[in-house]
Amino acid sequence: MNCPDCGNERTRVIDTGASTDGTSVRRRRECQRCSFRFTTYERPEWESLQVKKRDGTIEPFDRQKLRAGIERAVEKRDVTETTVTTLVDDIESELQDREARIVSSSLIGELVSENLRTLDKIAYIRFVSVYKAFSEPQEFLRELDAVLDAELDDFDASDGSL
C-alpha cells in the first residue's frame, strides 16, 4: 500500500479491526518513510457490487464516484459532509441488501434522486438535470414544475387549507 502523502510503498499496519457494519476490515497504516498515518478498508471481492451502465458495460461499484456525484449536486448548499457520508452509506447499504450483485446505474440514479428530493430540492434538480440528461429546456421546466407543485402541496397540507 503506497503512502498517500509521500508515495512510499513501504507502510506498516498499526491497527486492525472490523468496520461498524461488519462487511469490511479497517486498517490503520503508517508510512515508514514520513510517518504519515492513514486508514484503508478491505472488502471481500466476491461480495463487491457491480454496476451495469446504460451502454451495457459492467464495472465495479465505486463509492467515490457516487459520492462525487452527490457532492456536485449539493455544492454550495447547506448540506454537511456528514449528511453526504450518511446518504452514500444508506444508498450503498440498500444496494448491498439486494440479492443481485449486479445493479443498474439507473437504479443508483433513482436512489440518489429520491434521497436528494427529500434532502434538498435544489440539489435534486441539479442531480436529475445531469442524470436524466435533459436535452430540451422544456424537460427541465417540467421537472422544476413538479418540484414546485409538490412544495405547494406540502405547504397547503401544513397550512390546513385545501
Side-chain angles (χ1 to χ4, degrees):
M1 177 64 58
N2 291 349
C3 173
D5 192 48
C6 73
N8 184 29
E9 62 185 43
R10 295 187 42 95
T11 61
R12 67 185 180 97
V13 175
I14 55 175
D15 183 38
T16 300
S19 66
T20 54
D21 61 3
T23 61
S24 62
V25 175
R26 179 188 167 278
R27 298 195 194 280
R28 255 331 250 164
R29 296 178 180 270
E30 181 177 56
C31 177
Q32 292 184 338
R33 179 191 300 157
C34 70
S35 300
F36 182 76
R37 290 185 176 196
F38 59 101
T39 303
T40 60
Y41 293 90
E42 296 177 18
R43 290 179 177 81
E45 188 171 332
W46 64 85
E47 287 188 14
S48 64
L49 283 170
Q50 302 289 312
V51 178
K52 186 171 187 178
K53 308 288 279 184
R54 289 181 185 166
D55 65 3
T57 59
I58 296 177
E59 64 182 44
F61 173 78
D62 185 349
R63 180 182 170 86
Q64 289 308 112
K65 195 172 181 180
L66 173 62
R67 183 180 187 90
I70 293 170
E71 285 177 341
R72 272 191 303 271
V74 301
E75 188 175 348
K76 296 182 182 178
R77 301 294 302 155
D78 191 23
V79 178
T80 65
E81 282 291 315
T82 305
T83 303
V84 172
T85 299
T86 301
L87 181 58
V88 171
D89 289 344
D90 291 348
I91 291 170
E92 185 176 14
S93 177
E94 188 166 339
L95 294 171
Q96 292 283 0
D97 289 346
R98 295 177 178 267
E99 296 282 325
R101 296 288 65 173
I102 298 176
V103 296
S104 68
S105 60
S106 61
L107 171 64
I108 296 170
E110 289 301 320
L111 291 173
V112 172
S113 295
E114 289 171 16
N115 282 281
L116 284 177
R117 189 171 192 150
T118 59
L119 177 68
D120 185 279
K121 303 291 191 258
I122 300 297
Y124 165 76
I125 290 293
R126 287 177 178 171
F127 183 81
V128 296
S129 69
V130 173
Y131 164 65
K132 292 185 178 181
F134 295 146
S135 57
E136 296 292 324
Q138 290 79 10
E139 294 173 285
F140 186 83
L141 284 173
R142 275 193 295 275
E143 193 65 40
L144 187 56
D145 284 342
V147 170
L148 291 173
D149 288 345
E151 283 283 308
L152 286 174
D153 290 344
D154 290 346
F155 178 75
D156 289 344
S158 67
D159 186 27
S161 345
L162 293 177

